[in-house]
Amino acid sequence: MERNSLNSLGVYRRSLALRDMSEAVAAYFTQNREILSLRKIDSFRDDISKSLLVDADLITKELEQAALSNCPSVRMRSLSYVNIMTRNILAYCNGLERDGVKEKEYLNLLRKEIRIFRVSFKKWRKSLINKND
């Protein structure tokens, strides 16, 4: 697959939507307004917000790597990594909720985006695995 055809992948577009939603949630809940630059972290919420940004970005990068790689082992490692990162994002939502975030509807929107992404990801992963057989 070529790099310019990544946008034709539904799962890739879903990962971009997930990344954008994660960025918006992180920016909303952080107390450090420089969180998007990933500089200094002052609080638990800032730490979770930074992790949310990083993991959402890594999902997109790992999907790119899996889609562009011809090596089955690289693909499988990337697919496994995406699973880990999606679970992490759900855990970050739980952490923010336990930290006393009052605007839970934003967290629920992010959780919904994760569920939508995971459905798309599982279908795409299955097609990659079947292609390797």
Side-chain angles (χ1 to χ4, degrees):
M1 174 175 275
E2 294 179 22
R3 184 166 292 281
N4 11 349
S5 64
L6 280 173
N7 284 328
S8 66
L9 282 176
V11 69
Y12 183 72
R13 288 192 311 271
R14 295 285 357 141
S15 76
L16 293 175
L18 175 62
R19 187 184 66 191
D20 292 344
M21 175 72 73
S22 297
E23 186 175 305
V25 168
Y28 184 80
F29 287 122
T30 188
Q31 294 155 354
N32 177 359
R33 292 296 146 204
E34 293 184 13
I35 190 69
L36 297 179
S37 66
L38 300 177
R39 290 189 183 135
K40 186 180 175 190
I41 297 174
D42 297 327
S43 69
F44 180 69
R45 283 189 193 178
D46 292 342
D47 190 32
I48 288 179
S49 296
K50 176 187 169 234
S51 298
L52 185 60
L53 289 172
V54 170
D55 286 0
D57 192 49
L58 286 173
I59 287 172
T60 302
K61 289 178 182 174
E62 290 296 325
L63 278 175
E64 286 177 17
Q65 186 170 353
L68 298 174
S69 178
N70 292 326
C71 178
S73 64
V74 169
R75 280 185 176 169
M76 294 310 293
R77 185 192 63 76
S78 291
L79 296 175
S80 174
Y81 199 65
V82 168
N83 273 330
I84 292 167
M85 295 299 104
T86 56
R87 283 193 310 260
N88 285 353
I89 291 175
L90 288 173
Y92 301 146
C93 289
N94 293 339
L96 285 169
E97 198 168 357
R98 287 187 189 111
D99 192 46
V101 166
K102 292 183 174 110
E103 300 87 353
K104 292 180 185 177
E105 61 271 6
Y106 295 120
L107 297 176
N108 290 333
L109 284 173
L110 183 54
R111 288 177 179 127
K112 182 179 179 184
E113 194 66 41
I114 286 278
R115 282 193 299 274
I116 293 169
F117 169 77
R118 285 178 120 176
V119 167
S120 178
F121 175 70
K122 286 177 183 180
K123 287 178 187 174
W124 182 70
R125 181 182 63 196
K126 191 174 185 179
S127 73
L128 277 182
I129 291 171
N130 289 340
K131 186 168 46 170
N132 288 338
D133 293 339

